[in-house]
Amino acid sequence: MYSSISRTVVKRLLLLSLLFFSQGIYAQENTQVNDKNQRTTKLPADSDCVKANNANKVKTDDIGWMEKLHSTVSDSVFQSAVWFDNFFIDENSEQESPKTTARIRLGWEPKARDLGEFDTRFRIKVKLPHLKDKVDLILSDDDDLDQSYLPLESVNAKPNNENDHFSAAVRITHSKSSNRRIESRIGISGGDIFVRAKHERRLNWSENHSFKIEPSVYYFLDDGLGAKLLMEYDYQIDKTSQLRVNYSVRGSNSFSGIRWKHGFYRLKQLQQNAASIMALQVEGERNGENGFVIDKYTLSYRYRFSAVKEWLFFEIEPFVEWPEEENYTTTPGLALRVEGYFSKGY
């Protein structure tokens, strides 16, 4: 079990390292060309070079290694976006900068009878201005392409196996407003080519109530046709508290019956940089080979806060599970996570 987990973690980290390293070389080559052009134009005196180097050294020391890491990742993702967006630029149009965001998360989620549950996830999104900001490029292994997800689900949202669920997709936004969105995607996920269309509609009333309905249909080359319906109700208790109830149901050619999932949440903003979520989730299936079955109950409390840097987040989430495969035996656990956000162009 530990070897399979290690292989998955190493593959994901190598993929990220290759992306950042290759684009770092690209950025470095451009910088060297620019520096060469500047030197041919004007050769500064030796004293000016010494002063400049000393100033740069002071600035570097002040930034610190964490800020240098954040800057390196942000620049690497941004250079990738510029390279990709240049394929769609019109010769007569002006150069525009794309908008990029990246999220990298590392976690350890030990629980009774399974202390080796490690979690590494990343998500990179690129908004391409030369396609009128209607097309996004998304690279991820933490994506709602997994139709079993609920929006606020965190603990054990993915099955523990050796498969790499890396996905690359182009998202096209056909229509977007404050309460409506129609989009489609085409790409590859887990080695399977797919297309998906989704319509999201939100209704608000009385300033405290909100309801969202989100039907989607998708087709995977190997798994076949599938569909999902997500419904969500929000009640705003006050400025810092909210109750949320959601329900999803889905079917696919890849499995028999209908799979469903309920979620009940209380969201609370504790401070400007801290929040909590108390959650109860129930999932199961009906009309399948075993009839109506409840697969698992999950009760959790997630505390999330920002510390050290404004782009760095930490999570502590104790939880208790009652899985059907273990005869609903009480299974406590604790999730510890650290997550970094990187963005440029906004």
Side-chain angles (χ1 to χ4, degrees):
M1 177 185 67
Y2 291 98
S3 61
S4 63
I5 294 173
S6 300
R7 286 196 297 269
T8 302
V9 172
V10 169
K11 283 194 294 183
R12 294 176 180 175
L13 292 179
L14 284 176
L15 179 63
L16 288 173
S17 300
L18 179 61
L19 173 65
F20 298 150
F21 178 73
S22 62
Q23 293 306 320
I25 293 177
Y26 172 78
Q28 184 178 5
E29 290 177 349
N30 287 343
T31 302
Q32 291 175 351
V33 171
N34 293 334
D35 291 343
K36 183 178 180 180
N37 293 335
Q38 291 177 359
R39 286 195 297 268
T40 57
T41 303
K42 180 181 179 180
L43 295 177
D46 292 340
S47 59
D48 294 336
C49 293
V50 173
K51 292 179 180 178
N53 290 334
N54 292 336
N56 290 334
K57 183 178 179 180
V58 172
K59 291 181 180 179
T60 302
D61 293 339
D62 291 339
I63 291 176
W65 70 270
M66 295 188 69
E67 289 298 336
K68 287 191 289 185
L69 172 64
H70 185 268
S71 178
T72 300
V73 175
S74 299
D75 290 342
S76 299
V77 176
F78 183 77
Q79 291 292 343
S80 301
V82 171
W83 172 81
F84 188 82
D85 190 47
N86 283 338
F87 283 103
F88 306 98
I89 188 172
D90 188 357
E91 294 181 357
N92 299 323
S93 63
E94 297 181 359
Q95 178 70 42
E96 298 182 57
S97 296
K99 299 177 181 179
T100 61
T101 59
R103 184 184 67 189
I104 302 175
R105 189 174 84 181
L106 304 175
W108 181 40
E109 301 177 359
K111 58 183 178 181
R113 298 177 293 278
D114 187 5
L115 301 179
E117 187 73 21
F118 293 93
D119 183 31
T120 60
R121 301 186 186 184
F122 72 92
R123 178 183 175 90
I124 300 174
K125 185 175 72 172
V126 178
K127 186 175 289 292
L128 305 175
H130 293 108
L131 291 177
K132 300 181 179 179
D133 284 337
K134 290 187 176 182
V135 177
D136 297 334
L137 176 64
I138 299 176
L139 307 175
S140 174
D141 69 344
D142 177 17
D143 196 85
D144 59 356
L145 290 175
D146 187 341
Q147 300 297 314
S148 64
Y149 273 53
L150 284 178
L152 291 177
E153 187 172 0
S154 60
V155 176
N156 292 330
K158 286 187 176 180
N160 183 16
N161 54 38
E162 298 184 15
N163 295 328
D164 191 352
H165 289 273
F166 171 78
S167 65
V170 175
R171 181 177 65 180
I172 304 173
T173 303
H174 304 281
S175 176
K176 182 180 179 180
S177 63
S178 59
N179 58 0
R180 184 181 180 184
R181 182 187 183 100
I182 301 176
E183 67 176 43
S184 60
R185 294 190 189 188
I186 182 171
I188 184 170
S189 177
D192 195 1
I193 298 174
F194 75 93
V195 292
R196 189 186 73 173
K198 183 175 70 174
H199 180 202
E200 178 182 330
R201 186 68 182 270
R202 181 174 292 276
L203 304 174
N204 303 289
W205 69 96
S206 300
E207 296 183 357
N208 299 90
H209 303 272
S210 175
F211 178 77
K212 182 177 74 171
I213 181 169
E214 186 180 288
S216 62
V217 59
Y218 52 92
Y219 180 80
F220 284 80
L221 199 59
D222 293 337
D223 293 340
L225 187 66
K228 176 183 177 180
L229 175 64
L230 171 67
M231 295 180 290
E232 182 176 278
Y233 168 74
D234 298 337
Y235 175 70
Q236 195 73 30
I237 302 174
D238 51 44
K239 293 182 178 180
T240 60
S241 301
Q242 184 186 89
L243 293 179
R244 178 174 298 180
V245 180
N246 51 29
Y247 173 75
S248 72
V249 57
R250 61 191 178 95
S252 172
N253 291 337
S254 61
F255 56 84
S256 62
I258 301 297
R259 298 187 180 179
W260 55 269
K261 184 174 291 189
H262 273 297
F264 306 87
Y265 309 91
R266 177 184 171 89
L267 295 80
K268 178 72 174 179
Q269 183 178 353
L270 305 176
Q271 300 174 3
Q272 187 175 0
N273 62 341
S276 66
I277 301 177
M278 182 175 292
L280 172 63
Q281 296 172 346
V282 186
E283 59 184 288
E285 66 176 83
R286 63 172 184 264
N287 301 332
E289 297 179 356
N290 300 320
F292 181 85
V293 178
I294 296 179
D295 292 330
K296 186 173 62 175
Y297 299 89
T298 304
L299 180 65
S300 65
Y301 177 82
R302 190 187 339 171
Y303 176 65
R304 180 181 176 88
F305 62 97
S306 174
V308 185
K309 300 293 182 181
E310 61 180 7
W311 48 268
L312 193 60
F313 295 85
F314 300 86
E315 286 188 2
I316 303 174
E317 183 173 11
F319 61 91
V320 182
E321 295 179 341
W322 293 270
E324 185 270 339
E325 61 183 9
E326 298 181 7
N327 199 26
Y328 301 107
T329 302
T330 301
T331 306
L334 176 66
L336 304 173
R337 308 183 187 96
V338 57
E339 190 170 57
Y341 281 83
F342 310 86
S343 64
K344 192 166 185 178
Y346 284 87

